[in-house]
Amino acid sequence: TEVMAGNQERTFIMIKPDGVQRGLVGDIIQRFEKRGYKLVAMKFKQFDEAHLKQHYIDLADKPFYPKLCKFMSSGPVVPMVWEGKDVVKMGRAMLGATNPLQSNPGTIRGDFCIDLGRNICHGSDSVDSANKEIALWFDKTELASWSMCTGDNVYE
Ligand code: RTP
C-alpha cells in the first residue's frame, strides 16, 4: 500500500436529511473549506434503507437502529469525503458531541441542534471506520484527484 503524507488522511462526513431540509448544506461545507480541508468527493442523493442499515451496521443491536435508518433514508443526504491533517479527529471536533446537549457552541451541532435524533451530520469516528465508510458510499472513480491553491499557507 501507498505511504500517505501526513496531510492526506481522509474522513467521511455526511449531512443528514434534517441538515439538508433546514438549509444547512452550505454552512457545513463552508466550515470544512475555510478550515483548510480538501473536498475529495460529494453526492446529493436519497439512499434506500438497506444502504443506511449497512452504514450503521455496528449499531444493529441498538433499540434506535430501525428508526435511525428509516430517518436517514427519508430524504436526500450529502455524503462527502474530506482530506487533510488529522481530519478524522478534527472533523469530529467540528461536528461537536453526538448529543446536542453536550455539543459546545461553535461546533456544527452546538450551533444548530437540539435533539439527539436530529443532529444534522455524521462524521467517521476513526481512520478505520472512515476507510470503510468511504468504500461503502463512493466508488474509487468518484474520488477526485486535484490540488488546492493554498500553496504553503495551510501546511508549513
Ligand atoms: P454519527 O455516527 O451520526 O456521527 O454519530 P455518533 O457516532 O456520534 O453517534 P452513534 O452513537 O454512532 O449514533 C449514530 C446516530 O444515531 C442517533 N442516535 N439516536 N438514543 C437514541 O435515540 C440515539 N442515539 C444515537 C444519533 O443521530 C447519532 O448521531
Short mmCIF file of all heavy atoms in Angstrom, two decimals, residues 16 56 59 64 67-68 92 98 109 116-117 119 121-123, ligand 1:
data_model
loop_
_atom_site.label_atom_id
_atom_site.label_comp_id
_atom_site.label_asym_id
_atom_site.label_seq_id
_atom_site.Cartn_x
_atom_site.Cartn_y
_atom_site.Cartn_z
N LYS A 16 -27.08 14.97 7.14
CA LYS A 16 -28.26 14.13 7.25
C LYS A 16 -29.49 14.83 6.65
O LYS A 16 -29.44 16.04 6.38
CB LYS A 16 -28.49 13.79 8.73
CG LYS A 16 -27.31 13.02 9.37
CD LYS A 16 -27.62 12.65 10.82
CE LYS A 16 -26.47 11.87 11.45
NZ LYS A 16 -26.80 11.38 12.80
N TYR A 56 -24.83 1.85 9.22
CA TYR A 56 -24.93 1.84 10.69
C TYR A 56 -24.90 0.42 11.27
O TYR A 56 -25.41 0.20 12.36
CB TYR A 56 -26.21 2.55 11.13
CG TYR A 56 -26.11 4.07 11.10
CD1 TYR A 56 -27.00 4.84 10.33
CD2 TYR A 56 -25.15 4.76 11.85
CE1 TYR A 56 -26.92 6.23 10.32
CE2 TYR A 56 -25.07 6.14 11.83
CZ TYR A 56 -25.96 6.88 11.07
OH TYR A 56 -25.87 8.24 11.07
N LEU A 59 -24.39 -0.49 14.87
CA LEU A 59 -25.43 -0.11 15.83
C LEU A 59 -26.65 -1.04 15.73
O LEU A 59 -27.70 -0.75 16.31
CB LEU A 59 -25.87 1.34 15.59
CG LEU A 59 -24.78 2.42 15.68
CD1 LEU A 59 -25.35 3.79 15.31
CD2 LEU A 59 -24.17 2.47 17.07
N PHE A 64 -32.57 2.07 18.81
CA PHE A 64 -32.89 3.16 17.89
C PHE A 64 -32.46 2.89 16.45
O PHE A 64 -32.70 3.72 15.56
CB PHE A 64 -32.29 4.47 18.39
CG PHE A 64 -30.79 4.46 18.56
CD1 PHE A 64 -29.94 4.71 17.48
CD2 PHE A 64 -30.20 4.20 19.80
CE1 PHE A 64 -28.56 4.71 17.62
CE2 PHE A 64 -28.82 4.18 19.95
CZ PHE A 64 -27.99 4.44 18.86
N LYS A 67 -35.29 3.12 13.58
CA LYS A 67 -35.79 4.48 13.30
C LYS A 67 -34.68 5.37 12.74
O LYS A 67 -34.92 6.24 11.91
CB LYS A 67 -36.48 5.08 14.54
CG LYS A 67 -35.56 5.72 15.55
CD LYS A 67 -36.29 6.53 16.62
CE LYS A 67 -35.25 7.03 17.63
NZ LYS A 67 -35.75 7.73 18.76
N LEU A 68 -33.45 5.13 13.16
CA LEU A 68 -32.31 5.88 12.63
C LEU A 68 -32.16 5.63 11.13
O LEU A 68 -32.04 6.57 10.34
CB LEU A 68 -31.03 5.47 13.39
CG LEU A 68 -29.71 6.03 12.88
CD1 LEU A 68 -29.66 7.55 12.99
CD2 LEU A 68 -28.52 5.42 13.65
N ARG A 92 -14.63 15.33 13.81
CA ARG A 92 -15.49 15.06 14.97
C ARG A 92 -15.58 16.27 15.89
O ARG A 92 -16.64 16.59 16.41
CB ARG A 92 -14.97 13.85 15.76
CG ARG A 92 -15.01 12.54 15.00
CD ARG A 92 -16.37 11.92 14.95
NE ARG A 92 -16.77 11.35 16.24
CZ ARG A 92 -17.85 10.59 16.40
NH1 ARG A 92 -18.63 10.32 15.37
NH2 ARG A 92 -18.16 10.12 17.57
N THR A 98 -22.10 14.05 19.99
CA THR A 98 -23.28 13.43 19.36
C THR A 98 -24.58 13.97 19.93
O THR A 98 -25.52 14.27 19.19
CB THR A 98 -23.22 11.90 19.58
OG1 THR A 98 -21.97 11.42 19.09
CG2 THR A 98 -24.35 11.20 18.85
N ARG A 109 -23.05 20.99 15.55
CA ARG A 109 -24.22 20.59 16.33
C ARG A 109 -24.53 21.59 17.45
O ARG A 109 -25.69 21.87 17.75
CB ARG A 109 -24.01 19.19 16.90
CG ARG A 109 -24.09 18.10 15.83
CD ARG A 109 -23.48 16.82 16.35
NE ARG A 109 -23.63 15.70 15.43
CZ ARG A 109 -22.89 14.59 15.50
NH1 ARG A 109 -21.97 14.46 16.45
NH2 ARG A 109 -23.08 13.60 14.66
N LEU A 116 -31.02 14.75 19.88
CA LEU A 116 -30.06 13.69 19.51
C LEU A 116 -30.39 13.05 18.16
O LEU A 116 -29.51 12.80 17.34
CB LEU A 116 -30.05 12.64 20.62
CG LEU A 116 -29.22 11.37 20.43
CD1 LEU A 116 -27.75 11.69 20.19
CD2 LEU A 116 -29.37 10.46 21.65
N GLY A 117 -31.66 12.78 17.93
CA GLY A 117 -32.09 12.13 16.68
C GLY A 117 -32.20 13.08 15.50
O GLY A 117 -32.59 12.68 14.41
N ASN A 119 -29.45 15.46 14.74
CA ASN A 119 -28.17 16.15 14.95
C ASN A 119 -27.42 16.47 13.65
O ASN A 119 -26.22 16.69 13.65
CB ASN A 119 -27.30 15.41 15.97
CG ASN A 119 -26.92 14.02 15.53
OD1 ASN A 119 -27.31 13.59 14.44
ND2 ASN A 119 -26.17 13.31 16.34
N CYS A 121 -25.64 15.90 11.18
CA CYS A 121 -24.44 15.48 10.45
C CYS A 121 -23.83 14.23 11.06
O CYS A 121 -24.06 13.91 12.22
CB CYS A 121 -23.41 16.61 10.42
SG CYS A 121 -23.11 17.32 12.04
N HIS A 122 -23.06 13.55 10.25
CA HIS A 122 -22.32 12.37 10.67
C HIS A 122 -20.85 12.56 10.35
O HIS A 122 -20.52 13.15 9.33
CB HIS A 122 -22.84 11.13 9.94
CG HIS A 122 -21.89 9.97 9.98
ND1 HIS A 122 -21.83 9.11 11.05
CD2 HIS A 122 -20.91 9.57 9.13
CE1 HIS A 122 -20.87 8.21 10.84
NE2 HIS A 122 -20.30 8.47 9.68
N GLY A 123 -19.99 12.03 11.19
CA GLY A 123 -18.56 12.03 10.88
C GLY A 123 -17.91 10.76 11.38
O GLY A 123 -18.24 10.29 12.48
P1 RTP B 1 -22.76 9.79 13.86
O1 RTP B 1 -22.40 8.34 13.58
O2 RTP B 1 -24.09 10.18 13.31
O3 RTP B 1 -21.66 10.77 13.59
O4 RTP B 1 -22.98 9.86 15.40
P2 RTP B 1 -22.06 9.28 16.52
O5 RTP B 1 -21.05 8.33 16.00
O6 RTP B 1 -21.59 10.46 17.26
O7 RTP B 1 -23.16 8.50 17.35
P3 RTP B 1 -23.61 6.97 17.31
O8 RTP B 1 -23.65 6.51 18.72
O9 RTP B 1 -22.82 6.20 16.31
O10 RTP B 1 -25.10 7.11 16.82
C1 RTP B 1 -25.39 7.38 15.49
C2 RTP B 1 -26.56 8.31 15.40
O11 RTP B 1 -27.71 7.69 15.93
C3 RTP B 1 -28.55 8.64 16.55
N1 RTP B 1 -28.82 8.22 17.92
N2 RTP B 1 -30.02 8.13 18.42
N3 RTP B 1 -30.77 7.09 21.81
C4 RTP B 1 -31.04 7.47 20.58
O12 RTP B 1 -32.17 7.63 20.16
C5 RTP B 1 -29.91 7.71 19.68
N4 RTP B 1 -28.62 7.53 19.96
C6 RTP B 1 -27.93 7.86 18.84
C7 RTP B 1 -27.84 9.96 16.52
O13 RTP B 1 -28.39 10.76 15.48
C8 RTP B 1 -26.40 9.60 16.22
O14 RTP B 1 -25.76 10.62 15.50
#
